[in-house]
Amino acid sequence: MRMNYFKSKLFLKYIWSYLFILLIPLVFMTVFIYENAVQTLRTEIESSRLSQLSQTKVTIDGRMKELSEIASRISYDDRLSSYQVTNPYTSPEAIRALDQYKATSSMIDEIYLYFHDDKRIYSSKGLTDFEVFTDNLSFARWDKQSLYNDLNDVKHPTVRPADLVTKTGGMQDRKLAFLVPITPNSLNPHATVMYFIKETEITNLIDSILGNYQGLTFVLDAEGQVLVANRQGDTLSEEASQILFNHIAPGIQERTLDGNEHSIVSVQSESNGWTYMTVMPSSQFFSSVLDVRSFMTLIIIIVLLVGAAIALVLARMQYQPISTLVEFASSRSSEKQGDGTQGYTNELDRIRSALEDYSSRIDLQEPFARNHYLTTLIKFGDTDYLTPELQQLFDLKLNLGYLFVMVIGWNEPEPLDMEHRRCIINSLARIDMPEHQATGYGVELSQLDRLGIIINFDPAEDLDKIIQMKQIMEQVRGLLMNTLSITPMIGSGSCYQNLNELNQSYIEACSAFDLLVPGEYGTAALFQEISKTPSHSFWIPNHVQLKLAQSLKQGNYDIASQMIRSSVDSLQSSMLPALLVRCISFDLLNTILKTASELGEHHMLQRIAPSMVFSSSLVELESVLLSLASQLCSEVEQESKQEEQSLIDRIVVYIDDHFTDHNLSLDTVAYEFEISPSHVSRSFKDKTGINFVQYIWQKRLDKVFQQLKTTDTPLKDLIQEVGYLDTPNFIRKFKKETGLTPGQYRKMHRVTASDDEETGSAS
């Protein structure tokens, strides 16, 4: 949908600002021409030139600032990170992103992105080897080595003076180079954004502001170097140029250059120290007086039209990025308020509000998202959608040699309060153990008194891995006992080298934890030790049976089927007598039936026909075992879903009964139902389609709607009655939701007793 700019007060304010800047010189010129004749006209022209130079300064400074802001956005654009740009699969998207940034400013002739010490340079047209780039583009006063050094060493935004650039084929053009190190304001930037700007782009911009100006125009940097020179029918000798550039001060001055009097007007930018200067022979002022009265009206009309056009163009150019941000903020918001600015002072206020809203949402959801990521990792392993970007987002470093999972519980005489449990979770969120070359990341499990920890470590050269794992377990246990004052029970799985095997370590950790004796002070168990088979290595190993039982209890068919297949394959290749193989294979069947009985699935035995077991081959028996495991896992999963749905139903009822309690929170509900807060948050959103906080807010909002319509209760008391203590914040959210303040809503929707009587009589 095409946006109507003239409906925006901010856009109209920009137009009036530019028109005001242009009208001031016009008024001065008119007054001085009539009152002071030639001398007055001369002063007016100089003043006009000064104002126009100021406008030139504002415009060019704004354009350069816009380029710096583009570089800043590039530095935070994930599409243009070093990883994305160098990745063959994502580099086309990065090139398109550069082309999009190039299109945002008409000043940019070409945009380049260079990562320090890279042999390549990236532009909106594609990837180029640095040597090829310097061979295709040669600068008259900027050699290849200097270009390379500047790209790698520049610490602050730097503009090189307009230089003659020769392309392959002999084409020549004068261009400026603007180098912006990124990340901005960093002491150690990692890359440089380089813009090429045609000198004619700036000279044309100067001409459009200065109008019909005959003379010399220069743009000098803070060191006095000529960045841009715009010559309109006049030249200066080298000696005169040196005098001019080295001894000029801002303002209006008279100088003798090359034997002739010249009027010099200059302004200096406060933002970058640049000097904008015009030089005109004094004799030209007298020729401007001719027929001034007859053309005054025409001049005024022309200046007004041109000024209005320039003001419109400049205002639109300045407003366009803001309008884009407003559209983006409105598209990501649930508000439906026309152009997205109703209820706000202006578009900038709308953008600020959107940024604050997004920031608060991210801060609120990040801990739950991190825990959901880690929970998925230990339950299902490294799946396709668990990308490295998520690890980077949550500051997880899982790239060391080995990984294993610990399950930690505690057996305290009194249940831990919310504050103590939160302290434990925060302490275990990240554990750095440099002496063991290990890092741990805490995971909230569904049980309130149980946590998981993913340990990632590098093996020590002179130490067995199991000993190193025990030392890590001992340090974690010491942290819990000495620092957090709880008695831990720790079950640890085996260590693996790949993330996609982490779910096996979790199953093993759960198995080890289940074998611990409740109540023993500081007990710990390592799966690799408790699962050792004492004798007869051809029997089904103890650790396989333990993992099979635990995977069935958790409904994890992937690991259960893996245990069954590996055991059957081992028996098939064992070369043992057939009868002994058949007897050994019954260990698997017994494990499945025993686990089913523990889970309350006593009907599992009835599904086995004698012919399925005693008359079938080992391959057919494997199929029977897999079928039983699949049925049991499906029933466990279905029962888990039903229990979870029932739990969420009870939580919803609890919220409906207690939403007016200002102490109601995710933690209080979690402790009421004895499950972890992160599990409540994730399950509530999965089952209801709305997150926990939004549900409570909607219940309170509906109650406020009803009260506003039917009662005269003071607003502050009404808000506190529904469980909200922060009245100003509630009013702000209410207005954001409805577009009205609570008082305005009450006036529009108030239902009085007379209204009820009229409604009754009408019916």
Side-chain angles (χ1 to χ4, degrees):
M1 182 178 67
R2 187 179 181 84
M3 183 174 183
N4 189 346
Y5 291 105
F6 292 97
K7 289 184 178 180
S8 168
K9 294 180 180 179
L10 184 63
F11 178 66
L12 294 176
K13 182 179 178 181
Y14 287 155
I15 293 179
W16 283 113
S17 298
Y18 286 119
L19 284 174
F20 182 73
I21 293 173
L22 293 170
L23 286 173
I24 290 177
L26 176 63
V27 172
F28 278 138
M29 184 174 62
T30 303
V31 173
F32 287 133
I33 286 177
Y34 279 97
E35 293 182 356
N36 301 299
V38 175
Q39 187 60 36
T40 304
L41 176 61
R42 176 174 180 169
T43 304
E44 178 56 29
I45 292 175
E46 290 175 339
S47 300
S48 174
R49 196 67 61 229
L50 183 61
S51 297
Q52 290 171 331
L53 269 181
S54 298
Q55 179 61 35
T56 302
K57 176 197 70 173
V58 170
T59 303
I60 295 179
D61 286 358
R63 297 291 186 85
M64 300 307 292
K65 182 180 178 181
E66 179 182 335
L67 297 184
S68 297
E69 291 173 350
I70 292 174
S72 178
R73 294 202 298 271
I74 289 175
S75 68
Y76 294 108
D77 194 333
D78 290 339
R79 299 173 298 174
L80 295 172
S81 65
S82 176
Y83 172 81
Q84 296 284 4
V85 173
T86 56
N87 190 319
Y89 296 102
T90 58
S91 60
E93 178 64 22
I95 299 305
R96 286 192 293 272
L98 277 177
D99 189 59
Q100 292 171 0
Y101 283 117
K102 174 186 173 184
T104 60
S105 176
S106 60
M107 287 187 67
I108 302 175
D109 179 57
E110 188 52 84
I111 182 172
Y112 295 90
L113 176 60
Y114 175 78
F115 295 98
H116 288 181
D117 300 322
D118 198 355
K119 296 182 181 297
R120 297 160 296 184
I121 189 167
Y122 308 89
S123 72
S124 62
K125 296 178 182 178
L127 163 67
T128 308
D129 186 87
F130 189 83
E131 293 294 330
V132 176
F133 167 74
T134 53
D135 290 339
N136 291 338
L137 291 175
S138 61
F139 296 80
R141 299 192 303 272
W142 201 14
D143 58 39
K144 181 190 302 185
Q145 187 60 42
S146 298
L147 171 59
Y148 180 81
N149 294 338
D150 288 345
L151 288 173
N152 282 280
D153 300 336
V154 66
K155 301 295 184 182
H156 306 285
T158 304
V159 178
R160 287 190 59 86
D163 199 356
L164 186 63
V165 181
T166 304
K167 296 183 179 180
T168 303
M171 295 180 62
Q172 293 183 332
D173 200 355
R174 291 183 62 79
K175 299 181 181 180
L176 294 85
F178 183 24
L179 285 72
V180 184
I182 56 175
T183 304
N185 302 320
S186 173
L187 296 178
N188 296 297
H190 69 281
T192 301
V193 176
M194 180 169 64
Y195 303 98
F196 280 174
I197 306 169
K198 289 185 178 181
E199 186 181 33
T200 54
E201 284 289 336
I202 298 181
T203 57
N204 290 340
L205 181 61
I206 293 173
D207 289 341
S208 69
I209 298 175
L210 297 183
N212 188 22
Y213 173 73
Q214 296 296 320
L216 303 174
T217 307
F218 301 97
V219 180
L220 312 177
D221 65 12
E223 285 74 33
Q225 297 184 88
V226 180
L227 297 178
V228 176
N230 188 19
R231 295 174 173 83
Q232 297 286 348
D234 199 3
T235 58
L236 291 175
S237 65
E238 186 69 25
E239 182 180 355
S241 299
Q242 291 296 326
I243 296 173
L244 177 65
F245 300 149
N246 293 334
H247 302 89
I248 198 67
I252 303 173
Q253 302 182 37
E254 293 289 329
R255 287 290 177 88
T256 301
L257 303 174
D258 293 335
N260 297 317
E261 290 292 324
H262 285 75
S263 175
I264 303 169
V265 182
S266 64
V267 294
Q268 190 171 36
S269 171
E270 297 81 11
S271 61
N272 53 28
W274 289 5
T275 300
Y276 300 81
M277 179 190 304
T278 61
V279 182
M280 176 189 289
S282 300
S283 58
Q284 290 189 17
F285 287 99
F286 296 97
S287 61
S288 303
V289 182
L290 300 177
D291 301 322
V292 66
R293 284 182 172 84
S294 60
F295 290 101
M296 183 56 61
T297 304
L298 182 60
I299 290 173
I300 293 174
I301 294 174
I302 292 175
V303 171
L304 282 173
L305 293 176
V306 172
I310 294 175
L312 181 61
V313 171
L314 294 178
R316 182 164 181 171
M317 292 175 62
Q318 186 173 356
Y319 181 76
Q320 191 170 11
I322 296 175
S323 67
T324 302
L325 289 174
V326 170
E327 290 177 4
F328 174 78
S330 300
S331 67
R332 295 302 180 93
S333 173
S334 59
E335 303 172 47
K336 297 180 180 178
Q337 300 181 353
D339 63 354
T341 63
Q342 297 180 17
Y344 299 96
T345 306
N346 54 42
E347 290 86 338
L348 297 179
D349 186 41
R350 173 69 182 88
I351 294 170
R352 178 192 59 77
S353 177
L355 290 176
E356 290 177 351
D357 187 34
Y358 295 153
S359 178
S360 63
R361 290 183 188 178
I362 291 172
D363 292 342
L364 183 64
Q365 297 298 328
E366 182 176 355
F368 298 108
R370 178 184 183 274
N371 195 76
H372 179 64
Y373 172 84
L374 293 175
T375 302
T376 305
L377 200 61
I378 63 174
K379 288 188 176 181
F380 304 104
D382 189 21
T383 55
D384 292 338
Y385 65 90
L386 300 181
T387 59
E389 287 79 5
L390 288 177
Q391 293 187 29
Q392 183 178 2
L393 177 64
F394 298 131
D395 192 25
L396 303 174
K397 296 180 175 60
L398 300 173
N399 54 356
L400 300 180
Y402 289 93
L403 303 108
F404 70 96
V405 177
M406 292 193 300
V407 173
I408 298 176
W410 48 85
N411 188 19
E412 299 298 312
E414 296 292 334
L416 300 181
D417 57 27
M418 289 186 292
E419 192 62 34
H420 195 178
R421 185 178 186 277
R422 190 179 296 111
C423 180
I424 295 173
I425 293 171
N426 293 336
S427 299
L428 299 181
R430 179 184 176 113
I431 311 172
D432 291 313
M433 297 172 276
E435 64 274 20
H436 301 302
Q437 305 178 61
T439 304
Y441 301 98
V443 188
E444 286 190 69
L445 303 179
S446 58
Q447 299 92 331
L448 196 60
D449 59 349
R450 193 174 297 185
L451 294 172
I453 300 182
I454 299 175
I455 301 293
N456 190 206
F457 71 97
D458 270 331
E461 295 182 358
D462 55 348
L463 196 64
D464 183 72
K465 291 196 294 294
I466 294 181
I467 296 177
Q468 191 173 357
M469 291 171 65
K470 288 183 177 180
Q471 291 177 350
I472 293 172
M473 292 171 62
E474 186 63 29
Q475 180 166 343
V476 173
R477 183 171 64 173
L479 172 66
L480 294 168
M481 294 174 63
N482 301 327
T483 306
L484 302 175
S485 302
I486 65 171
T487 305
M489 298 172 61
I490 304 176
S492 174
S494 305
C495 63
Y496 296 90
Q497 290 183 287
N498 297 319
L499 273 175
N500 55 11
E501 297 176 305
L502 202 59
N503 55 340
Q504 295 206 42
S505 184
Y506 173 65
I507 292 291
E508 295 169 352
C510 292
S511 300
F513 187 87
D514 287 348
L515 293 176
L516 295 173
V517 178
E520 287 193 6
Y521 183 76
T523 56
L526 186 63
F527 181 80
Q528 288 172 275
E529 293 187 338
I530 65 174
S531 61
K532 291 181 179 178
T533 303
S535 62
H536 303 297
S537 59
F538 51 82
W539 296 99
I540 302 298
N542 189 31
H543 73 274
V544 172
Q545 296 183 57
L546 288 173
K547 288 178 68 173
L548 175 59
Q550 188 62 228
S551 61
L552 293 173
K553 290 178 181 179
Q554 297 196 19
N556 193 327
Y557 178 71
D558 290 338
I559 294 182
S561 61
Q562 184 179 341
M563 294 299 100
I564 293 172
R565 289 191 175 99
S566 63
S567 299
V568 173
D569 290 343
S570 177
L571 288 174
Q572 286 179 327
S573 60
S574 64
M575 304 300 291
L576 296 172
L579 182 58
L580 181 58
V581 168
R582 178 56 59 88
C583 293
I584 294 173
S585 66
F586 285 159
D587 284 351
L588 294 173
L589 180 60
N590 291 334
T591 299
I592 295 174
L593 295 177
K594 180 182 177 182
T595 304
S597 178
E598 292 175 358
L599 293 173
E601 303 292 340
H602 303 292
H603 58 279
M604 187 63 66
L605 183 62
Q606 301 172 4
R607 300 180 182 178
I608 307 174
S611 59
M612 295 170 61
V613 178
F614 298 102
S615 303
S616 58
S617 65
L618 199 57
V619 174
E620 292 172 337
L621 179 60
E622 177 185 5
S623 177
V624 172
L625 296 175
L626 289 173
S627 176
L628 292 174
S630 176
Q631 294 175 36
L632 183 56
C633 287
S634 297
E635 291 178 3
V636 169
E637 185 176 357
Q638 184 64 31
E639 184 176 343
S640 175
K641 289 181 178 179
Q642 292 174 354
E643 290 177 356
E644 193 169 89
Q645 183 62 55
S646 174
L647 176 64
I648 297 303
D649 291 340
R650 287 187 287 125
I651 289 176
V652 168
V653 172
Y654 182 84
I655 294 173
D656 292 345
D657 293 339
H658 297 84
F659 72 90
T660 57
D661 182 359
H662 70 271
N663 291 319
L664 183 66
S665 67
L666 195 61
D667 287 336
T668 58
V669 171
Y671 273 79
E672 176 69 24
F673 291 90
E674 298 184 347
I675 53 177
S676 69
S678 62
H679 184 72
V680 174
S681 175
R682 182 174 66 254
S683 300
F684 194 91
K685 177 65 179 294
D686 290 343
K687 300 300 181 183
T688 65
I690 183 174
N691 69 43
F692 181 86
V693 175
Q694 289 175 326
Y695 184 82
I696 296 177
W697 162 254
Q698 193 60 50
K699 293 292 296 182
R700 290 172 173 172
L701 187 63
D702 291 342
K703 183 68 174 179
V704 169
F705 284 156
Q706 179 187 0
Q707 295 291 83
L708 288 174
K709 292 177 182 179
T710 58
T711 72
D712 293 320
T713 304
L715 183 60
K716 183 176 180 180
D717 296 341
L718 191 153
I719 292 174
Q720 291 181 353
E721 285 177 6
V722 298
Y724 220 98
L725 298 181
D726 189 350
T727 302
N729 186 44
F730 180 90
I731 295 174
R732 182 184 65 81
K733 293 179 68 175
F734 187 97
K735 185 176 182 180
K736 181 180 178 182
E737 188 82 19
T738 64
L740 302 170
T741 65
Q744 292 170 336
Y745 184 90
R746 171 173 269 169
K747 289 180 180 179
M748 292 180 62
H749 299 87
R750 181 75 170 92
V751 178
T752 63
S754 59
D755 294 332
D756 293 337
E757 292 175 2
E758 291 177 4
T759 303
S761 61
S763 60

